Amino acid sequence: MAAAFMEEEVDNDDYYSLLNVRREATQDELKASYRRLCMLYHPDKHRDPELKKQAEQLFNLVHQAYEVLSDPQSRAIYDVYGKKGLEMEGWEVVERRRTAAEIREEFERLQREREERRLQQRTNPKGTISVGIDATELFDRYDEDFEDLPGSGFPQIEINRMHISQSIEAPLTATDTAVLSGSLSTQNGNGGGSINLALRRVTSAKGWGELEFGAGDLQGPLFGLKIFRNLTAKCFFTTSCVLQFSSQGARPGLTTMVARHLDKNTMGYIQWRWGIQSAMNTSIVRDTKTSHFTMAFQLGIPHSFMMVSYQHKFQDEEQTRLKGSIKAGFFGTVVEYGAERKISRHSVLGATVSVGVPQGVSLKVKLNRASQTYFFPIHLTDQLLPSAVFYATVGPLIIYVAMHRLIIKPYLKAQKEKDLEKQREDSASDVLKKKQEAEAAVRLMQESVRRIIEAEESRMGLIILNAWYGKFVTDNSRRNERVKVIDVTVPLQCLVKDSKLILTEASKAGLPGFYDPCIGEDKSLKILYQFRGVLHQVMSGDNEPLRIPKQSHKIDADG
C-alpha cells in the first residue's frame, strides 16, 4: 500500500522532477538547482502584475519542493510514501530531532493504527466453491449395448459432488479477531454441513493463539486450540489440539509442526500428527523469484508417500506459471502437470492434468477471483487412456486461446479504456491546473531562454530547435490522437547549461513548463536540436534519463 501511496503522489507532484535532480541528489545538487529556479521564478524579476502573480505561485512550489528534499527526515518519508506521507494525521507529534529510520518507524505505526481503525469497520470474506464432475462416459462407455435406449446417443456428464465454504473475519480489538466459517458438502446425493467459530488473539510480536468451536450434522461438536510461536529469528512452531465428538465417542487429535529458514529462499518443515490419520511428515520448500520447488516425505497410517514438485515462474505481465509434480506411495503413483495465468487484474486461471495409477486421468480447473476460489475437478477415466491424456492436455489450451482472443482480450481492452477515461475525468481539474502552471512557467522563461540562446549561438553550442512531449501516433487513421503531444521547446532550452542538457530518471511531466497531456498512457520526449551547426535528433522514454548532445544523435546528411 505504501508503494501505491507513493506512485499516486509522484504522478502529481514529483519534487525530484520539478527540481530536475536525481533521487540520490546531494545537498549541493539540490541547492544548485533550487537557486537556478529561484532566479527564474523570483517575483521581483517581473514587473507585469499577471506574470508577477504566476511567478509567485511557481516560486512557492519550488520552495516547497526544496524544503522537503533538503530536510533528511522529510525526504526519508517522501521517498517512501510520497507527498501524502508528509500530510499524515499525527505527524505534528513527531519530534524533528529523530533520525530518518525513527521517522519512518513512527509513520508506519501511524499507518498501522489507521488500518486497524479501518479493519474494525469491515470483514475479510474468503470462499471456495468446488464442483466435482464425472465425465468418464466421454472415453469409456458401452455404445453397442445401450444404443437403443433414449438419450444413449450422448455421453452422460454428471455432477457427483459439490462443496461450498465461506469465512469472514471480524476484528474485535487491535489484538483480537473473530473468524466465522461454514461449509456445505454433498456427494452422490448425501451431504451435510458444518459451522465453526474461531477466536484469535495476538499475544506478542512472537506469537498468537486461537480457540475454535465447531458443530455439524455429520460430526458432533468440535473443540480446538492452536498456538503459533517464533522460537528464534529463523525458527517457529505451531501446535494444534482437537477434540472431535461423534456417535462413536470422543476422538482427540494433535498436530505439531516446526519450521526453520535454511537460507534466504528455503524453508524446512517437520510435522507430526497423532490421532486422526497419524503421520510424520518432513518437507523442504525453496521459493525464488523464478521458481518454486517442494520435496516431501511422509510415513503414516493409512498413507505413506514421497512427493516432488517444481513450478517455473515466468516474469511476464500475465505472471505465467508452469508446474509439474510426481507423488508415489501406498495408494499408487500420480503425475501432475499444468499451468496458470493471470487473466485480469484480480483473476488467475489455472488447469492441471492428473495421471495416476489406479486413479486414472483427471482435469482440474481452478479460477481465483480476488478472495474467492472456484474449483472444478473433472474425472475423465479410471484407466490410463492416451486419448484422455491428449484431450485433457490439448483441450484446455485450445479453449483458453479461443477465450483469450474472443472474450478476455477484448474485455480487458474495453476495461482499460473505461478506466483510462475515468482517470482522465477524475484528474481533469488537476491537469487543467498543471497546464496553466506550465503555460505560466513558459511565459516566465522567455527572457531567460533568449539570453541562453544568444550565449549558445555565440559558441556554436546547444540550441533546441523543436521538442515535443506526449504520445506519438504515426498511424494516419488515428489523427485525432496527435493532440496528445505538447510543445516543450522553451522549457528544455531553459534547462540548457554550458551547452549541455541533463534530464534525470523521472517522469518528464514534473519538469518546469511540462504537464501530462495524456494521463495513464505511455509518453515519450522527442527533441530536434543543433550542436556545432549540425542537426541532431533523439527520442527518449518518459522515465528514461537523457543527456545531450551525443554523437549518436547526429542526423546523417546523406540520409
Side-chain angles (χ1 to χ4, degrees), residues 490-512:
V490 172
L492 285 185
Q493 186 67 67
C494 192
L495 293 174
V496 172
K497 183 179 180 182
D498 299 329
S499 297
K500 293 180 183 178
L501 173 63
I502 301 174
L503 301 180
T504 60
E505 189 176 357
S507 174
K508 312 297 186 294
L511 290 170

PDB file of all heavy atoms in Angstrom, residues 490-512:
ATOM      1  N   VAL A 490      10.675  25.551 -25.332  1.00  0.00           N
ATOM      2  CA  VAL A 490      11.144  26.605 -24.419  1.00  0.00           C
ATOM      3  C   VAL A 490      11.603  26.026 -23.072  1.00  0.00           C
ATOM      4  O   VAL A 490      12.700  26.360 -22.599  1.00  0.00           O
ATOM      5  CB  VAL A 490      10.058  27.678 -24.224  1.00  0.00           C
ATOM      6  CG1 VAL A 490      10.461  28.673 -23.141  1.00  0.00           C
ATOM      7  CG2 VAL A 490       9.800  28.405 -25.539  1.00  0.00           C
ATOM      8  N   PRO A 491      10.809  25.169 -22.425  1.00  0.00           N
ATOM      9  CA  PRO A 491      11.268  24.630 -21.134  1.00  0.00           C
ATOM     10  C   PRO A 491      12.592  23.876 -21.217  1.00  0.00           C
ATOM     11  O   PRO A 491      13.420  23.988 -20.311  1.00  0.00           O
ATOM     12  CB  PRO A 491      10.129  23.684 -20.729  1.00  0.00           C
ATOM     13  CG  PRO A 491       8.938  24.185 -21.443  1.00  0.00           C
ATOM     14  CD  PRO A 491       9.436  24.730 -22.722  1.00  0.00           C
ATOM     15  N   LEU A 492      12.806  23.133 -22.306  1.00  0.00           N
ATOM     16  CA  LEU A 492      14.060  22.387 -22.426  1.00  0.00           C
ATOM     17  C   LEU A 492      15.243  23.321 -22.680  1.00  0.00           C
ATOM     18  O   LEU A 492      16.330  23.115 -22.139  1.00  0.00           O
ATOM     19  CB  LEU A 492      13.952  21.349 -23.542  1.00  0.00           C
ATOM     20  CG  LEU A 492      13.127  20.098 -23.224  1.00  0.00           C
ATOM     21  CD1 LEU A 492      13.195  19.111 -24.366  1.00  0.00           C
ATOM     22  CD2 LEU A 492      13.614  19.425 -21.939  1.00  0.00           C
ATOM     23  N   GLN A 493      15.038  24.346 -23.513  1.00  0.00           N
ATOM     24  CA  GLN A 493      16.125  25.290 -23.764  1.00  0.00           C
ATOM     25  C   GLN A 493      16.512  26.011 -22.476  1.00  0.00           C
ATOM     26  O   GLN A 493      17.685  26.321 -22.245  1.00  0.00           O
ATOM     27  CB  GLN A 493      15.694  26.318 -24.811  1.00  0.00           C
ATOM     28  CG  GLN A 493      16.813  27.264 -25.248  1.00  0.00           C
ATOM     29  CD  GLN A 493      17.914  26.561 -26.021  1.00  0.00           C
ATOM     30  OE1 GLN A 493      17.705  26.084 -27.121  1.00  0.00           O
ATOM     31  NE2 GLN A 493      19.109  26.498 -25.439  1.00  0.00           N
ATOM     32  N   CYS A 494      15.519  26.228 -21.612  1.00  0.00           N
ATOM     33  CA  CYS A 494      15.782  26.903 -20.343  1.00  0.00           C
ATOM     34  C   CYS A 494      16.645  26.046 -19.416  1.00  0.00           C
ATOM     35  O   CYS A 494      17.327  26.565 -18.535  1.00  0.00           O
ATOM     36  CB  CYS A 494      14.456  27.249 -19.663  1.00  0.00           C
ATOM     37  SG  CYS A 494      14.613  28.362 -18.271  1.00  0.00           S
ATOM     38  N   LEU A 495      16.614  24.728 -19.603  1.00  0.00           N
ATOM     39  CA  LEU A 495      17.403  23.809 -18.773  1.00  0.00           C
ATOM     40  C   LEU A 495      18.825  23.600 -19.306  1.00  0.00           C
ATOM     41  O   LEU A 495      19.627  22.917 -18.671  1.00  0.00           O
ATOM     42  CB  LEU A 495      16.694  22.452 -18.671  1.00  0.00           C
ATOM     43  CG  LEU A 495      15.361  22.427 -17.917  1.00  0.00           C
ATOM     44  CD1 LEU A 495      14.714  21.056 -18.036  1.00  0.00           C
ATOM     45  CD2 LEU A 495      15.574  22.791 -16.450  1.00  0.00           C
ATOM     46  N   VAL A 496      19.125  24.174 -20.487  1.00  0.00           N
ATOM     47  CA  VAL A 496      20.462  24.027 -21.073  1.00  0.00           C
ATOM     48  C   VAL A 496      21.458  24.878 -20.284  1.00  0.00           C
ATOM     49  O   VAL A 496      21.222  26.059 -20.003  1.00  0.00           O
ATOM     50  CB  VAL A 496      20.462  24.453 -22.555  1.00  0.00           C
ATOM     51  CG1 VAL A 496      21.881  24.474 -23.103  1.00  0.00           C
ATOM     52  CG2 VAL A 496      19.600  23.501 -23.370  1.00  0.00           C
ATOM     53  N   LYS A 497      22.577  24.260 -19.917  1.00  0.00           N
ATOM     54  CA  LYS A 497      23.626  24.974 -19.194  1.00  0.00           C
ATOM     55  C   LYS A 497      24.985  24.502 -19.700  1.00  0.00           C
ATOM     56  O   LYS A 497      25.263  23.305 -19.732  1.00  0.00           O
ATOM     57  CB  LYS A 497      23.509  24.704 -17.693  1.00  0.00           C
ATOM     58  CG  LYS A 497      24.521  25.473 -16.856  1.00  0.00           C
ATOM     59  CD  LYS A 497      24.342  25.172 -15.375  1.00  0.00           C
ATOM     60  CE  LYS A 497      25.361  25.947 -14.549  1.00  0.00           C
ATOM     61  NZ  LYS A 497      25.237  25.627 -13.096  1.00  0.00           N
ATOM     62  N   ASP A 498      25.811  25.463 -20.131  1.00  0.00           N
ATOM     63  CA  ASP A 498      27.149  25.151 -20.647  1.00  0.00           C
ATOM     64  C   ASP A 498      27.078  24.136 -21.783  1.00  0.00           C
ATOM     65  O   ASP A 498      27.827  23.150 -21.822  1.00  0.00           O
ATOM     66  CB  ASP A 498      28.051  24.625 -19.530  1.00  0.00           C
ATOM     67  CG  ASP A 498      28.247  25.641 -18.419  1.00  0.00           C
ATOM     68  OD1 ASP A 498      28.213  26.848 -18.729  1.00  0.00           O
ATOM     69  OD2 ASP A 498      28.407  25.238 -17.257  1.00  0.00           O
ATOM     70  N   SER A 499      26.110  24.348 -22.703  1.00  0.00           N
ATOM     71  CA  SER A 499      25.946  23.501 -23.902  1.00  0.00           C
ATOM     72  C   SER A 499      25.617  22.055 -23.551  1.00  0.00           C
ATOM     73  O   SER A 499      25.937  21.134 -24.299  1.00  0.00           O
ATOM     74  CB  SER A 499      27.202  23.548 -24.792  1.00  0.00           C
ATOM     75  OG  SER A 499      27.404  24.852 -25.260  1.00  0.00           O
ATOM     76  N   LYS A 500      24.948  21.859 -22.411  1.00  0.00           N
ATOM     77  CA  LYS A 500      24.539  20.526 -22.011  1.00  0.00           C
ATOM     78  C   LYS A 500      23.110  20.559 -21.478  1.00  0.00           C
ATOM     79  O   LYS A 500      22.689  21.525 -20.858  1.00  0.00           O
ATOM     80  CB  LYS A 500      25.466  19.963 -20.930  1.00  0.00           C
ATOM     81  CG  LYS A 500      26.889  19.687 -21.398  1.00  0.00           C
ATOM     82  CD  LYS A 500      27.724  19.146 -20.261  1.00  0.00           C
ATOM     83  CE  LYS A 500      29.167  18.924 -20.699  1.00  0.00           C
ATOM     84  NZ  LYS A 500      30.011  18.431 -19.561  1.00  0.00           N
ATOM     85  N   LEU A 501      22.378  19.459 -21.730  1.00  0.00           N
ATOM     86  CA  LEU A 501      21.041  19.276 -21.174  1.00  0.00           C
ATOM     87  C   LEU A 501      21.007  17.904 -20.509  1.00  0.00           C
ATOM     88  O   LEU A 501      21.224  16.888 -21.170  1.00  0.00           O
ATOM     89  CB  LEU A 501      19.967  19.360 -22.269  1.00  0.00           C
ATOM     90  CG  LEU A 501      18.543  19.022 -21.817  1.00  0.00           C
ATOM     91  CD1 LEU A 501      18.054  20.015 -20.773  1.00  0.00           C
ATOM     92  CD2 LEU A 501      17.585  18.994 -23.002  1.00  0.00           C
ATOM     93  N   ILE A 502      20.744  17.895 -19.217  1.00  0.00           N
ATOM     94  CA  ILE A 502      20.723  16.644 -18.460  1.00  0.00           C
ATOM     95  C   ILE A 502      19.363  16.498 -17.792  1.00  0.00           C
ATOM     96  O   ILE A 502      18.952  17.363 -17.008  1.00  0.00           O
ATOM     97  CB  ILE A 502      21.836  16.619 -17.395  1.00  0.00           C
ATOM     98  CG1 ILE A 502      23.208  16.781 -18.053  1.00  0.00           C
ATOM     99  CG2 ILE A 502      21.779  15.307 -16.609  1.00  0.00           C
ATOM    100  CD1 ILE A 502      24.358  16.901 -17.061  1.00  0.00           C
ATOM    101  N   LEU A 503      18.659  15.406 -18.115  1.00  0.00           N
ATOM    102  CA  LEU A 503      17.372  15.101 -17.507  1.00  0.00           C
ATOM    103  C   LEU A 503      17.525  13.825 -16.687  1.00  0.00           C
ATOM    104  O   LEU A 503      18.107  12.847 -17.147  1.00  0.00           O
ATOM    105  CB  LEU A 503      16.286  14.914 -18.567  1.00  0.00           C
ATOM    106  CG  LEU A 503      16.039  16.109 -19.501  1.00  0.00           C
ATOM    107  CD1 LEU A 503      14.932  15.778 -20.498  1.00  0.00           C
ATOM    108  CD2 LEU A 503      15.672  17.355 -18.705  1.00  0.00           C
ATOM    109  N   THR A 504      16.984  13.825 -15.485  1.00  0.00           N
ATOM    110  CA  THR A 504      17.148  12.692 -14.579  1.00  0.00           C
ATOM    111  C   THR A 504      16.132  11.595 -14.876  1.00  0.00           C
ATOM    112  O   THR A 504      15.221  11.757 -15.687  1.00  0.00           O
ATOM    113  CB  THR A 504      16.997  13.156 -13.120  1.00  0.00           C
ATOM    114  OG1 THR A 504      15.693  13.712 -12.942  1.00  0.00           O
ATOM    115  CG2 THR A 504      18.038  14.202 -12.782  1.00  0.00           C
ATOM    116  N   GLU A 505      16.300  10.478 -14.161  1.00  0.00           N
ATOM    117  CA  GLU A 505      15.426   9.309 -14.344  1.00  0.00           C
ATOM    118  C   GLU A 505      14.121   9.510 -13.577  1.00  0.00           C
ATOM    119  O   GLU A 505      13.935   9.003 -12.480  1.00  0.00           O
ATOM    120  CB  GLU A 505      16.141   8.049 -13.854  1.00  0.00           C
ATOM    121  CG  GLU A 505      15.417   6.753 -14.188  1.00  0.00           C
ATOM    122  CD  GLU A 505      16.212   5.542 -13.765  1.00  0.00           C
ATOM    123  OE1 GLU A 505      17.336   5.709 -13.271  1.00  0.00           O
ATOM    124  OE2 GLU A 505      15.705   4.421 -13.935  1.00  0.00           O
ATOM    125  N   ALA A 506      13.220  10.287 -14.173  1.00  0.00           N
ATOM    126  CA  ALA A 506      11.915  10.570 -13.564  1.00  0.00           C
ATOM    127  C   ALA A 506      10.969  11.008 -14.676  1.00  0.00           C
ATOM    128  O   ALA A 506      11.395  11.325 -15.792  1.00  0.00           O
ATOM    129  CB  ALA A 506      12.040  11.660 -12.506  1.00  0.00           C
ATOM    130  N   SER A 507       9.683  10.994 -14.374  1.00  0.00           N
ATOM    131  CA  SER A 507       8.704  11.405 -15.375  1.00  0.00           C
ATOM    132  C   SER A 507       8.937  12.853 -15.763  1.00  0.00           C
ATOM    133  O   SER A 507       9.083  13.733 -14.904  1.00  0.00           O
ATOM    134  CB  SER A 507       7.289  11.230 -14.820  1.00  0.00           C
ATOM    135  OG  SER A 507       6.337  11.741 -15.728  1.00  0.00           O
ATOM    136  N   LYS A 508       8.948  13.116 -17.053  1.00  0.00           N
ATOM    137  CA  LYS A 508       9.180  14.478 -17.549  1.00  0.00           C
ATOM    138  C   LYS A 508       8.002  15.399 -17.250  1.00  0.00           C
ATOM    139  O   LYS A 508       8.138  16.623 -17.325  1.00  0.00           O
ATOM    140  CB  LYS A 508       9.428  14.447 -19.069  1.00  0.00           C
ATOM    141  CG  LYS A 508      10.441  13.410 -19.544  1.00  0.00           C
ATOM    142  CD  LYS A 508      11.818  13.656 -18.998  1.00  0.00           C
ATOM    143  CE  LYS A 508      12.860  12.717 -19.583  1.00  0.00           C
ATOM    144  NZ  LYS A 508      12.692  11.316 -19.233  1.00  0.00           N
ATOM    145  N   ALA A 509       6.851  14.814 -16.906  1.00  0.00           N
ATOM    146  CA  ALA A 509       5.663  15.638 -16.655  1.00  0.00           C
ATOM    147  C   ALA A 509       5.858  16.584 -15.485  1.00  0.00           C
ATOM    148  O   ALA A 509       5.152  17.593 -15.367  1.00  0.00           O
ATOM    149  CB  ALA A 509       4.446  14.746 -16.399  1.00  0.00           C
ATOM    150  N   GLY A 510       6.814  16.306 -14.604  1.00  0.00           N
ATOM    151  CA  GLY A 510       7.040  17.160 -13.446  1.00  0.00           C
ATOM    152  C   GLY A 510       8.037  18.269 -13.679  1.00  0.00           C
ATOM    153  O   GLY A 510       8.238  19.109 -12.800  1.00  0.00           O
ATOM    154  N   LEU A 511       8.684  18.303 -14.866  1.00  0.00           N
ATOM    155  CA  LEU A 511       9.663  19.351 -15.155  1.00  0.00           C
ATOM    156  C   LEU A 511       8.983  20.711 -15.283  1.00  0.00           C
ATOM    157  O   LEU A 511       7.812  20.792 -15.691  1.00  0.00           O
ATOM    158  CB  LEU A 511      10.402  19.026 -16.457  1.00  0.00           C
ATOM    159  CG  LEU A 511      11.377  17.849 -16.419  1.00  0.00           C
ATOM    160  CD1 LEU A 511      11.841  17.509 -17.829  1.00  0.00           C
ATOM    161  CD2 LEU A 511      12.570  18.162 -15.524  1.00  0.00           C
ATOM    162  N   PRO A 512       9.674  21.792 -14.950  1.00  0.00           N
ATOM    163  CA  PRO A 512       9.102  23.138 -15.127  1.00  0.00           C
ATOM    164  C   PRO A 512       8.694  23.371 -16.579  1.00  0.00           C
ATOM    165  O   PRO A 512       9.462  23.106 -17.506  1.00  0.00           O
ATOM    166  CB  PRO A 512      10.257  24.067 -14.718  1.00  0.00           C
ATOM    167  CG  PRO A 512      11.119  23.236 -13.821  1.00  0.00           C
ATOM    168  CD  PRO A 512      11.021  21.845 -14.347  1.00  0.00           C
TER     169      PRO A 512
END
